[in-house]
Amino acid sequence: MKDNIRVRFAPSPTGGLHLGGVRTALYNYLFAKQHGGSFVLRIEDTDQGRYVEGAEQYIADTLAWCGIEPDESPWNPGEFGPYRQSERKNIYAGYAQKLIDEGYAYYAFDTAEDLESLRKSQPNFQYNQAHRNNLCNSLTLPESEVKSLLNTNTPYVIRIKMPDDETISFTDMIRGDVHFNSSLSDDKVLLKADGMPTYHLAVVVDDFLMEITHTFRGEEWLPSTPIHILLWKYLFGLHLMPKWAHLPLILKPEGNGKLSKRAAEKLGFPIFSMNWTDPRSREFTEGFRERGFLPEAFINMLAMLGWNDGTAQEIFSLSELVEKFSIERVHKAGAKFDYEKAKWYNHEWIKKTDIIHLFPRIQTIFQNKGVAIKDDENTYQIFNLVKDRCTLLTDFFEQSIFFFEKPGNTGIESIRPKWNDQKNSFFTEMIRNYTSLTTWKVDILENAFKDVAAANGIKPGELMLPFRIMLVGGKSGPGIFHIAELLGKEETLARIQSSLKNLQ
Ligand code: GLU
């Protein structure tokens, strides 16, 4: 059993990948890896009207960035291909036909205009048991007319014939026993006029043919499950059906409703994994990656949106998640998204990640701002010094730019009002003192500074702020003597000198 576990992530390429989608992929991946199974990616692109150029590549890039790459996918096919539903188009009609032949589905010839006008005149109109007998379909038309309509290529769709008042039950791995009444669902379209299956038919046929054993998907698909169960029953037998697990919704921070792209935009945080520009509207949406998140933090945060291991532990690496994840501990209730908490994860991951690993991304951030930085030991030391102060990778820029570019004069203006001759002679002497140093190390720099202050009868506390402003240009940053050490002798002296000149 263990080796046979097969799960699938089945996104539709309709735009950027929402963090809820990435979490679904992640839970699938964790479950598969934990059981030595296979994680399959299937592109559900049967709705050609919603197909968006670039979205499939975006899905691939997201999974690669997160480190949760599928074992089988359109670009790395296994023996269950093709992995794009549009390329499987010819597979589905036979199954739809089987359903018709056995009385579980029927042809419907109603035109889009007819249905539209019915919907207008009856706002709650549904193509269901109450109405199907008054509409234009193979249940109401004589057989000979159906034949002739089919022979003359009249456009039709195939609909499922939902049974009347049947209880459809299944056990969800997260929600436990779930029951539906079949009368509540309309007769969903299974095969469209263009010959393409709808999601309902395709998902069942493909889960069967791809030998999927467990389906983890978002809670929004729960209302579709009774239709899928019926199709399983009619086509393949319920004993072959995968186990279902409907993952809790990701909610807005206050918990009032699903976290949508609009809601995230309004609240000022990302919702997509990476930058996304809609090719049709050219609308740009910033992603977690570009906002400065590490993939390790992103997936750690996503894993915890709806799951914990029962202890207080919050930081998990991907391999630890593979080891500890359990579907039994996934919550039923929706998980509120908390951007501050997301940043907290990132901060923790920045702190624990080696600078060598972070460097390429930090270098790109600097490059994008027009600042070239060297890949050398001194730069690593600078980033190590400011690392704990960075919540997002982009913070490395603000936190350390003064090492790479001289600060402007605005800081100096802020110390001018309290500037006096005593301070001036102190710093003049500091220049002499520091110039004579042969070892440029934090302790030596600090001791020398304090000695000169004591000799001049000034409290070092009064001198620290001006010194910081001279080197950094502002009031914040790590320990000033650490800064001086990493700036180096020449640059530190040059900054004191030019500040003194400025203050004349
Ligand atoms: N194609 C569906 C989606 O876009 C997948 C639903 C499922 O996993 O069954 O989310």
Side-chain angles (χ1 to χ4, degrees):
M1 176 67 192
K2 224 178 166 197
D3 289 344
N4 290 335
I5 283 190
R6 292 177 56 78
V7 300
R8 86 304 192 270
F9 174 48
S12 298
T14 53
L17 199 53
H18 186 289
L19 56 90
V22 187
R23 189 195 55 178
T24 302
L26 175 65
Y27 284 14
N28 270 292
Y29 172 91
L30 297 177
F31 188 80
K33 296 297 133 186
Q34 188 171 68
H35 292 92
S38 302
F39 171 48
V40 177
L41 177 86
R42 182 173 72 225
I43 296 291
E44 302 213 322
D45 57 351
T46 54
D47 190 348
Q48 298 283 300
R50 293 182 64 221
Y51 182 84
V52 171
E53 207 62 54
E56 188 180 310
Q57 187 58 44
Y58 184 92
I59 293 164
D61 293 346
T62 290
L63 299 183
W65 179 60
C66 292
I68 52 172
E69 281 178 279
D71 300 301
E72 298 166 29
S73 67
W75 46 92
N76 177 31
E79 52 182 300
F80 296 88
Y83 290 83
R84 269 182 210 97
Q85 285 182 331
S86 58
E87 292 169 14
R88 303 170 66 81
K89 185 178 171 183
N90 298 333
I91 296 176
Y92 308 105
Y95 291 98
Q97 192 57 52
K98 180 171 179 313
L99 291 166
I100 293 207
D101 295 346
E102 294 176 9
Y104 297 123
Y106 58 91
Y107 298 108
F109 300 97
D110 317 81
T111 64
E113 296 75 45
D114 291 346
L115 294 177
E116 193 49 43
S117 74
L118 278 168
R119 282 190 194 106
K120 271 203 187 117
S121 59
Q122 305 173 42
N124 295 326
F125 170 81
Q126 287 207 315
Y127 209 117
N128 60 11
Q129 302 155 55
H131 294 112
R132 70 162 84 100
N133 291 333
N134 304 318
L135 293 156
C136 185
N137 55 51
S138 56
L139 302 174
T140 56
L141 301 170
E143 210 180 313
S144 55
E145 196 175 337
V146 172
K147 274 206 179 111
S148 100
L149 286 171
L150 292 177
N151 287 339
T152 51
N153 290 332
T154 313
Y156 66 83
V157 299
I158 294 180
R159 288 180 182 271
I160 186 170
K161 187 177 166 200
M162 285 303 282
D164 188 15
D165 201 21
E166 201 175 278
T167 302
I168 302 168
S169 305
F170 74 99
T171 305
D172 188 280
M173 292 170 80
I174 296 169
R175 271 142 227 286
D177 289 340
V178 187
H179 309 280
F180 294 93
N181 186 299
S182 62
S183 304
L184 296 177
S185 174
D186 57 336
D187 291 350
K188 295 276 184 242
V189 172
L190 301 177
L191 202 74
K192 294 181 278 188
D194 62 2
M196 275 287 196
T198 58
Y199 159 68
H200 301 296
L201 179 63
V203 81
V204 169
V205 169
D206 288 345
D207 283 350
F208 169 75
L209 293 176
M210 293 183 170
E211 296 181 11
I212 299 303
T213 57
H214 298 76
T215 52
F216 298 88
R217 59 184 184 186
E219 190 186 305
E220 61 273 29
W221 299 103
L222 195 56
S224 301
T225 314
I227 295 145
H228 301 165
I229 292 178
L230 286 177
L231 292 175
W232 270 98
K233 183 167 141 189
Y234 300 152
L235 289 171
F236 310 116
L238 289 180
H239 62 291
L240 293 174
M241 187 168 76
K243 290 202 167 64
W244 305 96
H246 289 89
L247 307 176
L249 290 178
I250 299 182
L251 306 174
K252 287 188 232 173
E254 311 81 47
N256 53 339
K258 196 176 156 185
L259 178 64
S260 62
K261 181 164 167 279
R262 294 275 161 264
E265 255 160 27
K266 227 165 118 193
L267 295 165
F269 53 76
I271 193 158
F272 290 161
S273 50
M274 310 178 312
N275 277 0
W276 168 253
T277 303
D278 189 305
R280 297 156 306 182
S281 62
R282 306 305 307 162
E283 186 195 359
F284 168 78
T285 313
E286 190 190 27
F288 277 93
R289 182 177 69 176
E290 291 76 7
R291 184 63 77 93
F293 277 80
L294 290 176
E296 292 85 350
F298 184 57
I299 57 167
N300 188 166
M301 176 274 287
L302 286 181
M304 304 303 282
L305 270 180
W307 173 85
N308 65 58
D309 77 339
T311 73
Q313 183 174 347
E314 292 188 278
I315 300 298
F316 292 88
S317 66
L318 186 58
S319 56
E320 243 179 313
L321 287 171
V322 168
E323 195 188 307
K324 301 206 168 143
F325 180 76
S326 63
I327 201 73
E328 294 76 29
R329 292 202 59 85
V330 174
H331 315 149
K332 281 195 198 64
K336 285 185 207 165
F337 179 73
D338 178 349
Y339 185 56
E340 290 311 309
K341 189 75 194 195
K343 288 199 298 194
W344 177 85
Y345 281 108
N346 207 53
H347 190 200
E348 293 303 307
W349 273 98
I350 285 182
K351 284 196 282 185
K352 72 194 238 106
T353 307
D354 207 289
I355 281 296
I356 298 193
H357 183 70
L358 303 179
F359 184 78
R361 286 204 54 201
I362 305 175
Q363 191 175 36
T364 310
I365 291 165
F366 273 75
Q367 231 159 39
N368 291 344
K369 298 206 183 236
V371 181
I373 55 172
K374 285 196 205 112
D375 185 352
D376 64 12
E377 191 45 39
N378 191 254
T379 312
Y380 288 179
Q381 282 183 21
I382 290 171
F383 292 150
N384 266 323
L385 184 65
V386 301
K387 196 175 167 199
D388 285 6
R389 316 171 75 86
C390 298
T391 301
L392 299 171
L393 283 176
T394 42
D395 294 339
F396 275 94
F397 185 82
E398 284 81 40
Q399 291 295 336
S400 65
I401 180 62
F402 60 86
F403 281 104
F404 306 97
E405 283 185 349
K406 286 186 201 308
N409 281 335
T410 42
I412 293 295
E413 291 316 310
S414 72
I415 55 172
R416 195 184 293 283
K418 286 198 175 166
W419 192 249
N420 55 30
D421 285 349
Q422 203 187 15
K423 286 181 185 168
N424 195 55
S425 50
F426 167 81
F427 280 100
T428 313
E429 200 176 328
M430 275 317 303
I431 293 173
R432 267 200 303 276
N433 185 303
Y434 274 4
T435 308
S436 69
L437 291 178
T438 46
T439 315
W440 193 256
K441 280 270 164 246
V442 58
D443 298 348
I444 293 172
L445 297 174
E446 183 166 2
N447 290 337
F449 192 90
K450 285 181 179 157
D451 290 349
V452 177
N456 281 271
I458 322 179
K459 288 196 208 97
E462 273 181 63
L463 304 163
M464 290 302 225
L465 181 68
F467 189 36
R468 178 173 291 278
I469 301 265
M470 289 175 188
L471 300 193
V472 175
K475 291 181 182 165
S476 58
I480 192 61
F481 298 104
H482 281 108
I483 292 176
E485 181 186 313
L486 290 176
L487 270 179
K489 186 172 178 177
E490 200 182 319
E491 184 62 20
T492 301
L493 289 170
R495 288 190 188 187
I496 304 175
Q497 249 147 7
S498 78
S499 302
L500 289 188
K501 222 162 127 198
N502 228 314
L503 284 158
Q504 291 305 310

